[in-house]
Amino acid sequence: MERRTQETLVGDQFGARAKAYLASAVHAQGADLEALAALVRGKAQARVLDLGCGGGHVSFAVAPQVREVVAYDLSPEMLEVVARAARERGLDNLTTQRGMAERLPFADASFDFVLSRYSAHHWRDLDAGLRETARVLKPGGVAAFADAVAAPAPQIDTYFQAIELLRDPSHVRDYARGEWEAAIARAGLLPTASAAYRVRLVFQTWVERMRTPPAQIDAIRALMAAMPDDVARHLALEADGSFTIDTALFQAAKPAD
């Protein structure tokens, strides 16, 4: 059997689904997206990196407020969709660039903000991505990461990670809040604020967006049927398989010189 790298797996999973992520209601709205946009308000001269931009929703939200946005992603198909949508929206200060989170092709201290949403759970190495974030931030610059977070209870975490992986084999890990906070500190960033959210996922839309194969959908449903009451209750599991996840937004700053 031919083996693939994590980078190839991510590209294969998301390239063909770029338009679906652009149109995804879960990704195109939300309190966390509004909070990310609010961070750059009044910073008209800022340069912003949207790290793991996906369908480009963070880039589109912040571009009207700042001098420049670089939408950065591993998938060239995603970047093509983002570039086309930016042109249609008249966002001529938005450019795209391809690459990995763990090796950013940017100079030290070249961004005022690094923003990332629903991307880090696909990174092969969270610590490396956060170190690179710290490197490309200017002293006093702001980083913010929004993502799904794992429950601290091991049993809930196991079921959640399992259904995530069955739905999308490029999934690496949803980290718990404590894991995020420790990793941010290891990268040399100073935590400044965090916020917690709950996001409902409609099962059919959730699997269709990733084109999850029928056999894996059946496996997800089998795991959901086997969930103990406390796991199902935490996920607010519904009869059709729809469920609700925990997400969080972590803000941090690079120490000033």
Side-chain angles (χ1 to χ4, degrees), residues 122-137:
H122 295 289
W123 299 354
R124 181 173 53 185
D125 187 333
L126 179 67
D127 281 296
L130 294 178
R131 286 195 301 269
E132 281 290 88
T133 293
R135 180 183 67 77
V136 302
L137 269 177

Side-chain angles (χ1 to χ4, degrees), residues 94-146:
L94 193 161
T95 60
T96 62
Q97 190 156 342
R98 180 175 182 267
M100 299 167 53
E102 297 88 347
R103 290 200 300 270
L104 299 179
F106 307 110
D108 295 357
S110 53
F111 291 94
D112 300 285
F113 293 88
V114 176
L115 309 179
S116 184
R117 182 172 183 252
Y118 295 144
S119 173
H121 62 272
H122 295 289
W123 299 354
R124 181 173 53 185
D125 187 333
L126 179 67
D127 281 296
L130 294 178
R131 286 195 301 269
E132 281 290 88
T133 293
R135 180 183 67 77
V136 302
L137 269 177
K138 296 177 182 177
V142 172
F145 308 92

